[in-house]
Amino acid sequence: MTSPAPASSRRAIFLDVDGTYAHHGIVPEAHADAVRAARAAGHLVLLCTGRPVSLLTDRIIAAGFDGYVAGAGAYAVVDGEVLLDTRFPGDLSARALRVLADAGALFLLEGPHATHAHPATVDAMATHLPQRGEEGAGRRDLTAAITRTEDLAGVSFGKITTFHAEVPVGAIADAIGPEVAVIPSSIPDLGPGAGEIFLAHVHKAVGVAAVVERLGLAREHVIAFGDGLNDVEMLEYAGIGVAIEGGDDAALAVADRTAAGPRQSGLAKAFAELGLL
């Protein structure tokens, strides 16, 4: 870790990735510069994302971070020390796979060290991705990081992302059981079965709290940035919660302030306004 700032001013900064730190996997250089400057000033900067670590591509992590809360709170690591690694238990995993198959779903099984999908799922994803420009490059990075796996029965995972199904993703979660919760995808062209299915007791604030406890910080020393429905608990937990303009209404409702999105390099301005640089 970097040398700490005085205890009274040191902050732990948690950044959602998609729609906050990056746009379709592409990080504005001003955002990367802000992360480097905040760490040089003695603050801790961590990514706090729905993505597993296995899908944090080189483009996303290039600035350097003190740790990650990944899988929407299922996994937390600081300075190489793993604090949380929560997976679906075996019986629930098997039930989830049966329900997904019955629903005709295309899906990813996301673990911290690898994300697995049937080859047909990866091929379907690649077909619908942009092929040119930075947006296409960022999304191709994502598919390249997925492990093609014919037999998913033995895969250990902490979260499921679905891209298509014959029924709504909420119905899939209901069929799996009360042990899981769901957030529908905000991208309409992915179909009614698109969304994230995760253990019901897991959310980003669980991972943030584990990091804060390990570092011996107080909640008022936490600054969190996010734009989505899965950021709500994190923004509520933080001493200062910053929602991204144009983000989910629920995130905006619980935030203390707002910042512009990654296409406007909004985090750079917000870091400066908050005295983090």
Side-chain angles (χ1 to χ4, degrees), residues 217-234:
L217 298 175
R219 287 175 61 173
E220 54 263 34
H221 294 151
V222 173
I223 302 175
F225 294 78
D227 72 310
L229 190 57
N230 68 352
D231 294 311
V232 170
E233 292 88 354
M234 174 181 72

PDB file of all heavy atoms in Angstrom, residues 217-234:
ATOM      1  N   LEU A 217     -10.687   1.616   9.784  1.00  0.00           N
ATOM      2  CA  LEU A 217     -11.265   2.922   9.484  1.00  0.00           C
ATOM      3  C   LEU A 217     -12.702   2.994   9.980  1.00  0.00           C
ATOM      4  O   LEU A 217     -13.311   1.976  10.314  1.00  0.00           O
ATOM      5  CB  LEU A 217     -11.225   3.182   7.975  1.00  0.00           C
ATOM      6  CG  LEU A 217      -9.840   3.225   7.327  1.00  0.00           C
ATOM      7  CD1 LEU A 217      -9.972   3.378   5.822  1.00  0.00           C
ATOM      8  CD2 LEU A 217      -9.014   4.364   7.904  1.00  0.00           C
ATOM      9  N   ALA A 218     -13.241   4.175  10.015  1.00  0.00           N
ATOM     10  CA  ALA A 218     -14.642   4.382  10.350  1.00  0.00           C
ATOM     11  C   ALA A 218     -15.436   4.638   9.078  1.00  0.00           C
ATOM     12  O   ALA A 218     -14.881   5.027   8.045  1.00  0.00           O
ATOM     13  CB  ALA A 218     -14.787   5.572  11.302  1.00  0.00           C
ATOM     14  N   ARG A 219     -16.752   4.417   9.164  1.00  0.00           N
ATOM     15  CA  ARG A 219     -17.586   4.606   7.978  1.00  0.00           C
ATOM     16  C   ARG A 219     -17.500   6.025   7.436  1.00  0.00           C
ATOM     17  O   ARG A 219     -17.595   6.245   6.220  1.00  0.00           O
ATOM     18  CB  ARG A 219     -19.037   4.260   8.291  1.00  0.00           C
ATOM     19  CG  ARG A 219     -19.294   2.785   8.435  1.00  0.00           C
ATOM     20  CD  ARG A 219     -20.705   2.476   8.871  1.00  0.00           C
ATOM     21  NE  ARG A 219     -21.718   2.942   7.929  1.00  0.00           N
ATOM     22  CZ  ARG A 219     -23.009   2.661   8.043  1.00  0.00           C
ATOM     23  NH1 ARG A 219     -23.443   1.937   9.066  1.00  0.00           N
ATOM     24  NH2 ARG A 219     -23.871   3.118   7.153  1.00  0.00           N
ATOM     25  N   GLU A 220     -17.323   6.997   8.322  1.00  0.00           N
ATOM     26  CA  GLU A 220     -17.252   8.387   7.842  1.00  0.00           C
ATOM     27  C   GLU A 220     -16.013   8.650   7.004  1.00  0.00           C
ATOM     28  O   GLU A 220     -15.915   9.693   6.343  1.00  0.00           O
ATOM     29  CB  GLU A 220     -17.323   9.368   9.009  1.00  0.00           C
ATOM     30  CG  GLU A 220     -16.307   9.143  10.091  1.00  0.00           C
ATOM     31  CD  GLU A 220     -16.859   8.350  11.260  1.00  0.00           C
ATOM     32  OE1 GLU A 220     -17.717   7.464  11.046  1.00  0.00           O
ATOM     33  OE2 GLU A 220     -16.433   8.620  12.397  1.00  0.00           O
ATOM     34  N   HIS A 221     -15.059   7.730   7.012  1.00  0.00           N
ATOM     35  CA  HIS A 221     -13.859   7.869   6.190  1.00  0.00           C
ATOM     36  C   HIS A 221     -14.026   7.225   4.811  1.00  0.00           C
ATOM     37  O   HIS A 221     -13.083   7.194   4.022  1.00  0.00           O
ATOM     38  CB  HIS A 221     -12.658   7.243   6.894  1.00  0.00           C
ATOM     39  CG  HIS A 221     -12.259   7.947   8.146  1.00  0.00           C
ATOM     40  ND1 HIS A 221     -11.649   7.307   9.201  1.00  0.00           N
ATOM     41  CD2 HIS A 221     -12.416   9.237   8.533  1.00  0.00           C
ATOM     42  CE1 HIS A 221     -11.420   8.174  10.174  1.00  0.00           C
ATOM     43  NE2 HIS A 221     -11.881   9.357   9.782  1.00  0.00           N
ATOM     44  N   VAL A 222     -15.223   6.700   4.523  1.00  0.00           N
ATOM     45  CA  VAL A 222     -15.496   6.019   3.261  1.00  0.00           C
ATOM     46  C   VAL A 222     -16.189   6.971   2.291  1.00  0.00           C
ATOM     47  O   VAL A 222     -17.150   7.655   2.644  1.00  0.00           O
ATOM     48  CB  VAL A 222     -16.385   4.783   3.493  1.00  0.00           C
ATOM     49  CG1 VAL A 222     -16.822   4.165   2.166  1.00  0.00           C
ATOM     50  CG2 VAL A 222     -15.650   3.753   4.343  1.00  0.00           C
ATOM     51  N   ILE A 223     -15.685   6.996   1.057  1.00  0.00           N
ATOM     52  CA  ILE A 223     -16.334   7.719  -0.034  1.00  0.00           C
ATOM     53  C   ILE A 223     -16.608   6.706  -1.133  1.00  0.00           C
ATOM     54  O   ILE A 223     -15.697   5.983  -1.561  1.00  0.00           O
ATOM     55  CB  ILE A 223     -15.456   8.858  -0.574  1.00  0.00           C
ATOM     56  CG1 ILE A 223     -15.108   9.842   0.541  1.00  0.00           C
ATOM     57  CG2 ILE A 223     -16.166   9.588  -1.718  1.00  0.00           C
ATOM     58  CD1 ILE A 223     -14.132  10.929   0.110  1.00  0.00           C
ATOM     59  N   ALA A 224     -17.857   6.599  -1.572  1.00  0.00           N
ATOM     60  CA  ALA A 224     -18.236   5.602  -2.571  1.00  0.00           C
ATOM     61  C   ALA A 224     -18.897   6.274  -3.765  1.00  0.00           C
ATOM     62  O   ALA A 224     -19.665   7.232  -3.616  1.00  0.00           O
ATOM     63  CB  ALA A 224     -19.180   4.581  -1.960  1.00  0.00           C
ATOM     64  N   PHE A 225     -18.597   5.742  -4.947  1.00  0.00           N
ATOM     65  CA  PHE A 225     -19.147   6.254  -6.198  1.00  0.00           C
ATOM     66  C   PHE A 225     -19.854   5.116  -6.931  1.00  0.00           C
ATOM     67  O   PHE A 225     -19.284   4.031  -7.085  1.00  0.00           O
ATOM     68  CB  PHE A 225     -18.032   6.784  -7.111  1.00  0.00           C
ATOM     69  CG  PHE A 225     -17.306   7.999  -6.614  1.00  0.00           C
ATOM     70  CD1 PHE A 225     -16.327   7.889  -5.634  1.00  0.00           C
ATOM     71  CD2 PHE A 225     -17.586   9.252  -7.137  1.00  0.00           C
ATOM     72  CE1 PHE A 225     -15.639   9.006  -5.181  1.00  0.00           C
ATOM     73  CE2 PHE A 225     -16.903  10.383  -6.690  1.00  0.00           C
ATOM     74  CZ  PHE A 225     -15.928  10.251  -5.711  1.00  0.00           C
ATOM     75  N   GLY A 226     -21.075   5.352  -7.411  1.00  0.00           N
ATOM     76  CA  GLY A 226     -21.775   4.325  -8.166  1.00  0.00           C
ATOM     77  C   GLY A 226     -22.978   4.879  -8.892  1.00  0.00           C
ATOM     78  O   GLY A 226     -23.446   5.981  -8.603  1.00  0.00           O
ATOM     79  N   ASP A 227     -23.485   4.073  -9.832  1.00  0.00           N
ATOM     80  CA  ASP A 227     -24.603   4.539 -10.665  1.00  0.00           C
ATOM     81  C   ASP A 227     -25.776   3.578 -10.717  1.00  0.00           C
ATOM     82  O   ASP A 227     -26.842   3.934 -11.210  1.00  0.00           O
ATOM     83  CB  ASP A 227     -24.120   4.776 -12.104  1.00  0.00           C
ATOM     84  CG  ASP A 227     -23.843   3.463 -12.833  1.00  0.00           C
ATOM     85  OD1 ASP A 227     -23.132   2.602 -12.274  1.00  0.00           O
ATOM     86  OD2 ASP A 227     -24.347   3.295 -13.958  1.00  0.00           O
ATOM     87  N   GLY A 228     -25.606   2.347 -10.219  1.00  0.00           N
ATOM     88  CA  GLY A 228     -26.607   1.323 -10.463  1.00  0.00           C
ATOM     89  C   GLY A 228     -27.385   0.895  -9.244  1.00  0.00           C
ATOM     90  O   GLY A 228     -27.118   1.303  -8.110  1.00  0.00           O
ATOM     91  N   LEU A 229     -28.358   0.030  -9.493  1.00  0.00           N
ATOM     92  CA  LEU A 229     -29.184  -0.496  -8.419  1.00  0.00           C
ATOM     93  C   LEU A 229     -28.351  -1.301  -7.429  1.00  0.00           C
ATOM     94  O   LEU A 229     -28.637  -1.301  -6.222  1.00  0.00           O
ATOM     95  CB  LEU A 229     -30.298  -1.365  -9.012  1.00  0.00           C
ATOM     96  CG  LEU A 229     -31.423  -1.818  -8.084  1.00  0.00           C
ATOM     97  CD1 LEU A 229     -32.126  -0.627  -7.435  1.00  0.00           C
ATOM     98  CD2 LEU A 229     -32.427  -2.666  -8.865  1.00  0.00           C
ATOM     99  N   ASN A 230     -27.306  -1.959  -7.908  1.00  0.00           N
ATOM    100  CA  ASN A 230     -26.474  -2.736  -6.979  1.00  0.00           C
ATOM    101  C   ASN A 230     -25.482  -1.872  -6.205  1.00  0.00           C
ATOM    102  O   ASN A 230     -24.691  -2.398  -5.413  1.00  0.00           O
ATOM    103  CB  ASN A 230     -25.743  -3.869  -7.713  1.00  0.00           C
ATOM    104  CG  ASN A 230     -24.671  -3.378  -8.679  1.00  0.00           C
ATOM    105  OD1 ASN A 230     -24.542  -2.174  -8.934  1.00  0.00           O
ATOM    106  ND2 ASN A 230     -23.914  -4.301  -9.223  1.00  0.00           N
ATOM    107  N   ASP A 231     -25.534  -0.559  -6.408  1.00  0.00           N
ATOM    108  CA  ASP A 231     -24.690   0.369  -5.645  1.00  0.00           C
ATOM    109  C   ASP A 231     -25.422   1.000  -4.461  1.00  0.00           C
ATOM    110  O   ASP A 231     -24.800   1.711  -3.662  1.00  0.00           O
ATOM    111  CB  ASP A 231     -24.179   1.500  -6.555  1.00  0.00           C
ATOM    112  CG  ASP A 231     -23.247   1.005  -7.628  1.00  0.00           C
ATOM    113  OD1 ASP A 231     -22.316   0.252  -7.302  1.00  0.00           O
ATOM    114  OD2 ASP A 231     -23.453   1.368  -8.805  1.00  0.00           O
ATOM    115  N   VAL A 232     -26.709   0.749  -4.319  1.00  0.00           N
ATOM    116  CA  VAL A 232     -27.504   1.463  -3.326  1.00  0.00           C
ATOM    117  C   VAL A 232     -26.978   1.234  -1.912  1.00  0.00           C
ATOM    118  O   VAL A 232     -26.756   2.188  -1.150  1.00  0.00           O
ATOM    119  CB  VAL A 232     -28.995   1.056  -3.434  1.00  0.00           C
ATOM    120  CG1 VAL A 232     -29.785   1.596  -2.252  1.00  0.00           C
ATOM    121  CG2 VAL A 232     -29.585   1.570  -4.744  1.00  0.00           C
ATOM    122  N   GLU A 233     -26.761  -0.027  -1.533  1.00  0.00           N
ATOM    123  CA  GLU A 233     -26.296  -0.320  -0.172  1.00  0.00           C
ATOM    124  C   GLU A 233     -24.927   0.302   0.091  1.00  0.00           C
ATOM    125  O   GLU A 233     -24.656   0.800   1.188  1.00  0.00           O
ATOM    126  CB  GLU A 233     -26.241  -1.823   0.069  1.00  0.00           C
ATOM    127  CG  GLU A 233     -27.593  -2.508   0.096  1.00  0.00           C
ATOM    128  CD  GLU A 233     -28.094  -2.955  -1.256  1.00  0.00           C
ATOM    129  OE1 GLU A 233     -27.425  -2.631  -2.271  1.00  0.00           O
ATOM    130  OE2 GLU A 233     -29.142  -3.622  -1.323  1.00  0.00           O
ATOM    131  N   MET A 234     -24.058   0.274  -0.910  1.00  0.00           N
ATOM    132  CA  MET A 234     -22.730   0.873  -0.764  1.00  0.00           C
ATOM    133  C   MET A 234     -22.832   2.380  -0.557  1.00  0.00           C
ATOM    134  O   MET A 234     -22.142   2.945   0.305  1.00  0.00           O
ATOM    135  CB  MET A 234     -21.881   0.564  -2.005  1.00  0.00           C
ATOM    136  CG  MET A 234     -20.524   1.261  -2.036  1.00  0.00           C
ATOM    137  SD  MET A 234     -19.575   0.895  -3.528  1.00  0.00           S
ATOM    138  CE  MET A 234     -20.487   1.818  -4.781  1.00  0.00           C
TER     139      MET A 234
END
